[in-house]
Amino acid sequence: MSETTKGGVLGPVSAATGPETALARLRALETLESGYEAWLELKGEHAASVARFREERERLDQQGSFLLGAVRAAGLEPTASTEPGLVPASASAGDFLRDAEEKLAKTREALAAREAESEAGYSAAFAEIRSTLKDRVQRHLAVQRPRLTLLLRRVGAERSILHVERVSGDTPVLLCLLFSGRIPSRYGFLLDDSTEDVALPPAPLYPDEGVAPSDVRPDASALVARVRDAGEVLPVKGMLPLAVPRPGGGEDFFRLLQRGAVLEVELAEGATFRNVLGREESERFAGHLLRLKLAGRIDLDIEAG
């Protein structure tokens, strides 16, 4: 499905690149990490394919513009004859220009058809990878209960800070699906503390799944909306989202934010998050995890500090 530019013309590349290779890798290895590696490989191939098609369109546009400019510079633009029955002296130039434009138009049409075919192939491959990964995560959850240790840190008589011991390996991916019903867009998302600007903390979103690079740092309310409105994939980074029901209806949005050796529990409040929780809030969060434990979905230890 993938194409490459050879001599200025897009043509098929070898079977060593494109959706087929990534899908073969996905089907050959059953681990979650290998599946995400295949997904990342496919994203790179798709980005390269999009760039090649864009470059080829630009090349054709430049070729057409250059051709027209050359005809004009030569003073060969076709002009209407003032004498009935006489053929303009530049008629042959007009024929030349029309033939060239027709060839360019056909080339553009063929390019558009190949691009549409390529995009359809990549779309199908992405859909298969998402479906396969979600199925694998669900199968892992059916036989493997993530283990969490909740740590209570008192801040006065009625307030506290909650920490969860850091988890790694497949566990963050399993918890993301368990907590949100969606798979993360990247395997190592929870422990990723990279930042594009050392003056800023890590962004809570990746520029994946339709998130523009300029939108990776939303405030709390926008982040909540993004998570709630997401499709089957969450592009979250350095955090696990968790919605906890309120007794009177509705729900509160918590996140488990990666902070070194622990995940710190924060509650969305307007445009910000806060980590100091009231007694009712911390008990309700712990109670939600306890319900998951009693339902056989997780293993849970609670320790008071």
Side-chain angles (χ1 to χ4, degrees), residues 15 30 38 55-56 63 94 130 148 191 195 219-220 234 282 299:
E30 283 290 322
E55 290 168 0
E56 183 64 8
Q63 183 177 338
R130 291 188 186 100
L148 296 178
L191 304 184
T195 178
D219 63 20
L234 274 182
S282 59
D299 288 327

Side-chain angles (χ1 to χ4, degrees), residues 100-291:
E101 289 176 337
E102 288 176 1
K103 290 178 181 178
L104 278 173
K106 290 179 180 178
T107 302
R108 287 192 180 99
E109 290 176 2
L111 177 65
R114 290 199 300 274
E115 184 174 17
E117 181 183 2
S118 175
E119 283 299 303
Y122 277 108
S123 294
F126 280 126
E128 180 175 339
I129 281 186
R130 291 188 186 100
S131 175
T132 300
L133 281 174
K134 186 172 183 179
D135 179 67
R136 285 185 187 175
V137 176
Q138 289 173 330
R139 285 191 280 113
H140 277 66
L141 277 172
V143 298
Q144 175 185 338
R145 290 186 296 187
R147 174 172 289 278
L148 296 178
T149 300
L150 181 64
L151 309 171
L152 174 66
R153 302 288 183 257
R154 292 290 183 186
V155 182
E158 295 295 325
R159 297 188 300 168
S160 62
I161 293 176
L162 296 180
H163 288 158
V164 174
E165 286 188 355
R166 191 171 73 168
V167 293
S168 59
D170 292 344
T171 302
V173 178
L174 303 184
L175 289 172
C176 188
L177 182 65
L178 180 62
F179 287 171
S180 69
R182 303 170 179 92
I183 59 172
S185 63
R186 305 195 190 187
Y187 181 78
F189 75 100
L190 185 58
L191 304 184
D192 186 355
D193 59 359
S194 62
T195 178
E196 74 285 1
D197 187 339
V198 294
L200 297 173
L205 295 175
Y206 287 109
D208 298 338
E209 302 299 317
V211 177
S214 59
D215 295 333
V216 297
R217 297 179 182 278
D219 63 20
S221 59
L223 179 61
V224 171
R226 168 72 68 173
V227 170
R228 286 175 174 165
D229 296 340
E232 59 184 347
V233 178
L234 274 182
V236 291
K237 175 185 177 185
M239 56 165 277
L240 277 165
L242 177 60
V244 176
R246 299 191 196 104
E251 60 186 19
D252 283 324
F253 183 93
F254 290 85
R255 71 174 180 179
L256 283 67
L257 185 67
Q258 196 272 126
R259 289 193 184 278
V262 298
L263 304 174
E264 190 161 88
V265 178
E266 295 186 339
L267 174 63
E269 189 173 63
T272 61
F273 284 93
R274 59 178 170 86
N275 63 344
V276 178
L277 307 178
R279 179 173 179 176
E280 186 274 337
E281 293 165 342
S282 59
E283 289 178 350
R284 187 152 45 87
F285 180 87
H288 186 76
L289 294 186
L290 185 56
R291 283 194 297 272

